[in-house]
Amino acid sequence: MDEAKRELVRAWLIKARNDLTTARQMGALPDGPLDTAIYHCQQAAEKAVKGFLALHDHRPERSHDVERLVELAQTYETRFAGWEEAAITLTPYATAYRYPGESATLEPSRAEFDEALELAADLLNFVLSLLPNEVRPSG
């Protein structure tokens, strides 16, 4: 694998990990903004799958649709089929709480956030398990 590809995949994964870290940190604050934290859960999942697609020379679409990205990833790895429900759950958080009027409430419940955080973390770990060590972020 050439260095440019290795760095691109690693960059997607670093961004995914950073989004997940941000979601965890915000969610751990006593009055943390769960609307922002859940957005970062969606972002972590999206970027993890885009990193996987980049490894397979699939130019990621400019899309926040995790469900669509998981479908694309299935063409390279059939086990992504098991992540369809998680993708359906996470996709709306790209916009659901970002703008007034997008949701009936301004912030998700603690249970909704906790589920999104767990799904995003599990999806990122799944993606990492499929990738060679040379593209995994250090640390």
Side-chain angles (χ1 to χ4, degrees):
M1 175 182 327
D2 68 37
E3 186 61 25
K5 181 176 176 177
R6 186 173 23 259
E7 288 306 312
L8 175 62
V9 173
R10 188 177 294 128
W12 278 114
L13 299 172
I14 288 169
K15 290 293 191 183
R17 184 185 62 194
N18 289 349
D19 276 313
L20 193 60
T21 298
T22 299
R24 281 191 179 117
Q25 289 173 343
M26 289 179 167
L29 294 171
D31 291 321
L34 295 183
D35 59 335
T36 305
I38 206 166
Y39 164 77
H40 284 285
C41 293
Q42 183 280 335
Q43 286 289 287
E46 175 186 328
K47 291 169 187 170
V49 179
K50 284 181 176 180
F52 176 83
L53 292 170
L55 179 72
H56 294 281
D57 299 317
H58 187 107
R59 186 176 176 96
E61 300 173 1
R62 289 180 91 50
S63 170
H64 299 300
D65 189 341
V66 182
E67 185 179 3
R68 170 76 177 133
L69 295 169
V70 163
E71 287 173 7
L72 291 170
Q74 285 180 57
T75 64
Y76 304 102
E77 172 55 64
T78 58
R79 289 179 288 172
F80 269 98
W83 292 96
E84 290 174 346
E85 289 301 316
I88 290 168
T89 299
L90 291 166
T91 293
Y93 300 137
T95 58
Y97 298 104
R98 277 177 77 188
Y99 307 106
E102 292 290 322
S103 176
T105 62
L106 292 177
E107 194 165 287
S109 68
R110 170 57 65 178
E112 187 178 9
F113 167 73
D114 288 344
E115 177 189 29
L117 182 62
E118 182 178 354
L119 291 173
D122 289 350
L123 181 54
L124 174 56
N125 287 331
F126 171 71
V127 169
L128 289 171
S129 77
L130 300 174
L131 302 177
N133 287 334
E134 66 184 295
V135 299
R136 293 182 189 178
S138 59

